[in-house]
Every structure is written in structure tokens, then in C-alpha cells.
Amino acid sequence: MRTKLVAANWKMHLDLSSAIELTQALLDQIKDLPNPPNVILSPGFPLLSVVSDKIKPYSNFKLAAQNFHESVSGAFTGEVSADMLRSVGVTHVIIGHSERRQLFSEGEDRLTAKLHRALEAGLIPIFCIGESLSDREENKTFDRLSAQLEPGILNLSKEAFEKVIIAYEPVWAIGTGKTATPAQAQEVHAWIRQQFHTQWGATTAENCTILYGGSVNASNASELFSCADIDGGLVGGASLKANEFYQILKALPA
Ligand code: PGA
């Protein structure tokens, strides 16, 4: 069975007290829902430990890191390892977010190394792919997505792949207020799932969680989440407001 979920990407926002306040507000709101949604929170590094403690009693809440280093350990001043993350309760890691790809020049080799390291360390990768506006305008969306899937994801063993979550995030929709229409997003999600079908067969493809990300908000979430191949969202800006994020969580089908 495919897991439906919503992941909050807090990016470089919130300090200790606002992270505690937001987490508590979410926990308070969600406890009245008949079917507790699966939620992943991704705070900045210094906030992981305290958010981890807060969500520990709630099995539907999980914790993701936004980044980590692909080496096991070593002299990498300023970097954070997968094992460090595990030790503070992190279960998931975001890999290949377009901001890491663009602003920090993370290319496919590095992202593939991170993918393998996360899986070895027992962390669940949330692997992000997405085309730019010019890719889309030049009809190169699927070429771009293939280039992002082939080196790392499509070379995994079936067993390893079955642990991975995919996030489709068109770069032109991230933080811009421009969302892909449900039809545009569904078309790409179906295509992504088809690649997995070709590689590993129907059951593995059917069971893979594929999130949509890019300006998801309280007004567009239910239409997006009701698409056949969209299994939830990776939400940036709208995850920083408890009330709005709660509305997004309520839009997730049970
Ligand atoms: P956004 O960000 O919801 O603010 O567009 C999504 C993301 O970057 O994961």
C-alpha cells in the first residue's frame, strides 16, 4: 500500500521558540482528526533535536533533515553526517532539492552518493526532481526528469528503491505562487510512476509514494492530492503557518 503523507520543508526559517510553537500548534490541531495524517517535519539542523522530542509520542509524525554530507564521518568542518542525524531521531532526508542543486551546485554524482549513504545509514530519502521553466517551455521536461532519475534512483536495487520517497517539484513552481495545475502535475507523476514500472514492475511502481511540491497551499491541496498518482505534498512556505498547514493536512485522503 502506498503511504500518503505531507512533508513540511521549513528551509532556513524559524528559531527555537517559533519551531516549538509551530510544532505544538500542529500537534494540538491534529489530535482531533479522526484519521491522523502522516506528517514529516524538516526543521533546520539546530532545531531537529527539540522537534524530535516533541513529536516522539506521535507515531504519525516523522522528522527529516534538509541536507547532510555523503561521507560517513571525517574532517568536514561545518558538515553533518547521516549517523548524527539518526542519533537525534531523524528518519528521513531531503536529497536533490532544487535549491541544493542550483544554489549549492549539487550535481547528480553528489546526489547519487547522498542517496546511497542515506540508505546505508537507514534514513529514508525524499529524492526531489523537477524541471526548470525553460525545460518546460522547450518541451524538455521528461528529458530533464530522466537525467535526474537515471544516475541514482533508476540504478538502485528494487529493495533499496522500495524505501525511497520521490518528490516532483517543478522549479518554476517553488516559492513562486505558481502551482502546476492538477492536470500538469498528474501527467508528470504518471510518467514518473511509469519509469518505475518499467524498471521494477507494477507492484513496486504502485507502492511508491510520489509527492508534489511547488506552491502547495490550503486552496489547491485537495485538488492536487485527489489526483491518482499524487500521494501528498512537499510544502515550503505554507508549512510555516500552523492553520494553513493544518488545512493542507486535512486535504490528504485517508
Ligand atoms: P514552496 O516550496 O511550497 O514554498 O513552493 C516547496 C519546496 O521547496 O519544497
Side-chain angles (χ1 to χ4, degrees), residues 7-9 11 94 97-99 128 167 169-170 173-178 212-217 234-239:
N9 179 5
K11 308 192 180 184
I94 299 174
H97 190 280
S98 66
E99 286 151 19
C128 305
E169 298 205 301
I174 296 178
T176 58
K178 273 193 222 159
Y212 169 79
S215 298
V216 175
N217 59 38
L234 176 55
V235 186
S239 72

Side-chain angles (χ1 to χ4, degrees), residues 85-106:
L85 296 174
R86 282 288 305 262
S87 74
V88 296
V90 169
T91 49
H92 294 64
V93 276
I94 299 174
I95 300 175
H97 190 280
S98 66
E99 286 151 19
R100 300 296 317 170
R101 292 174 184 270
Q102 288 180 341
L103 305 174
F104 301 94
S105 306
E106 293 193 6

